[in-house]
Amino acid sequence: MERLREFLAGQAEGDLLPWEAQCEASRRLGASLAMVEEAALEWGLMPKRYSRNRDTISIPQQLRLCRSRVAVIGCGGLGGYLIEELARLGVGTLVLADPDVFEEHNLNRQLFSSLARLGRAKVEVARERVAEVNPAVTVVAHRAAFSRENGKSLLSGCSAVVDGLDNVLTRHALAAISSDLSLPFVHGAIAGWYGQVAVQMPGEDISPLLGPVSAQGKGLEANLGNPAFTPAAIASLQVSEVAKILLGRGSLSGRVLFANLLDMEFEVLRYGRSTAGRGE
C-alpha cells in the first residue's frame, strides 16, 4: 500500500487525482480501480471525476459513498436513471436485479435501451453502461426477478435499497424484506405525468403507500403509460434521498412527496393510511 500511496501522491494535481493516474496505478501495482479509488480518498485525494461534487460532497463523504453498497431492483424506466446517477455519484458497489430483456416499447423512456440492444438482458446492458461511465464502480448483476425467496440473499450486505419496480406485489415484498434486514428503502413510482417518492427507514412501514396488496401486475402506469421525463425526474429525487441517507444528511422519512409534472406541483405530506395509493 505504501507504493500505491507514493505513486498517487506523485501523480496528484493538488488534492485531485486524474483518471489516467488511477488507471496507471491499477496497471503498475495490480490493484483494482475500486481499490485505487478507495485508497486515494482515504489519503485525502479526490478523484478528478468527482471534482464538481466537492462543494456539495467532501472527500470523507465521497469515501463513504465509495464504501457503500446499494441495491437497485428493476433496471428499466426508473432503474436506468437510478443506476446511471448512482454510478456517476460514486457509489462503490451496485447490486442490480431484473429478469427482463429490452423490448421496442421500452425505447421511449428507458435510458439504457436502444435499437441495437433490443433483446438483450437489462442487467447486462446496465453492467456495460456502468463500466463505460465509471469503471471504479463494482456491479453485481442478477438476471432474476426479486422475490420473497431470493430477496434476503440479493440484499445481503447492502447499505440501502432503491425501488425501480413497476409491479405492486414485488414492491411490497421489497419493502418488507428491506424492513426485515433493517435497510433503508427508497421508494419511487410513476404513471403518466405523476410520481411519488417515499423513504422507509428501519422500524418504519410505508406499505400503505405502495398500492393494494391484492393488486395484480402493474400499477396505474398500465393505464396512463410513462413518457420519458417522468422516470428521469422521479429517479433523480430517489437518488438524492439515497445520497442523504448514505451521508447522514437526513431523508424524506415520515413523509411522501407527490409530483404532478403536468401542473408542476409538488406536495409533501406526512404519510398514513389516508394517503395510501396516491400517485401510484
Side-chain angles (χ1 to χ4, degrees):
M1 291 296 286
E2 190 58 35
R3 289 180 60 206
L4 176 59
R5 184 170 189 164
E6 290 176 0
F7 180 83
L8 296 181
Q11 298 295 312
E13 300 173 359
D15 65 351
L16 294 178
L17 185 67
W19 174 247
E20 288 183 3
Q22 286 183 252
C23 294
E24 185 63 21
S26 177
R27 285 192 294 267
R28 286 193 185 190
L29 303 176
S32 68
L33 288 168
M35 184 183 299
V36 172
E37 182 157 298
E38 182 176 0
L41 289 164
E42 281 183 345
W43 298 327
L45 297 176
M46 177 75 90
K48 198 170 185 178
R49 66 175 300 118
Y50 304 126
S51 60
R52 295 302 177 94
N53 285 358
R54 65 186 308 165
D55 290 335
T56 303
I57 298 172
S58 67
I59 291 177
Q61 289 174 330
Q62 194 70 54
L63 178 59
R64 289 181 70 173
L65 295 177
C66 177
R67 289 174 170 168
S68 296
R69 180 183 179 98
V70 173
V72 179
I73 308 302
C75 301
L78 287 171
Y81 290 99
L82 293 168
I83 294 161
E84 179 89 6
E85 293 183 25
L86 290 168
R88 290 182 183 275
L89 188 62
V91 171
T93 301
L94 297 177
V95 178
L96 313 179
D98 195 305
D100 295 334
V101 299
F102 284 115
E103 300 180 62
E104 191 169 350
H105 63 82
N106 301 143
L107 292 170
N108 79 312
R109 71 199 183 284
Q110 296 196 11
L111 183 62
F112 298 155
S113 66
S114 69
L115 291 172
R117 292 167 172 168
L118 295 181
R120 294 197 58 203
K122 293 181 181 181
V123 289
E124 292 305 322
V125 173
R127 187 207 300 270
E128 292 172 4
R129 175 61 179 173
V130 172
E132 291 173 354
V133 169
N134 191 350
V137 173
T138 300
V139 174
V140 181
H142 301 274
R143 187 178 175 184
F146 185 90
S147 68
R148 293 186 183 273
E149 289 70 35
N150 66 11
K152 288 188 177 181
S153 63
L154 288 176
L155 302 184
S156 177
C158 287
S159 313
V161 180
V162 197
D163 175 6
L165 294 164
D166 61 2
N167 183 285
V168 175
L169 292 178
T170 308
R171 183 172 283 140
H172 275 278
L174 181 59
I177 293 172
S178 297
S179 179
D180 290 345
L181 296 175
S182 296
L183 295 175
F185 169 62
V186 180
H187 159 64
I190 52 176
W193 294 86
Y194 311 101
Q196 69 180 37
V197 177
V199 171
Q200 175 182 278
M201 295 299 286
E204 298 177 347
D205 177 16
I206 64 167
S207 60
L209 301 173
L210 305 181
V213 177
S214 60
Q216 298 297 318
K218 302 182 188 301
L220 286 180
E221 71 171 279
N223 298 319
L224 299 180
N226 275 314
F229 47 81
T230 312
I234 298 302
S236 292
L237 294 171
Q238 289 178 271
V239 171
S240 71
E241 289 302 306
V242 174
K244 289 190 293 183
I245 290 166
L246 297 178
L247 298 177
R249 300 291 300 274
S251 76
L252 190 61
S253 172
R255 297 164 292 162
V256 56
L257 182 151
F258 299 114
N260 175 345
L261 301 181
L262 181 60
D263 298 316
M264 204 49 67
E265 294 178 350
F266 296 82
E267 187 175 15
V268 177
L269 298 176
R270 296 277 172 191
Y271 64 73
R273 291 195 177 276
S274 62
T275 63
R278 183 174 176 180
E280 173 58 29

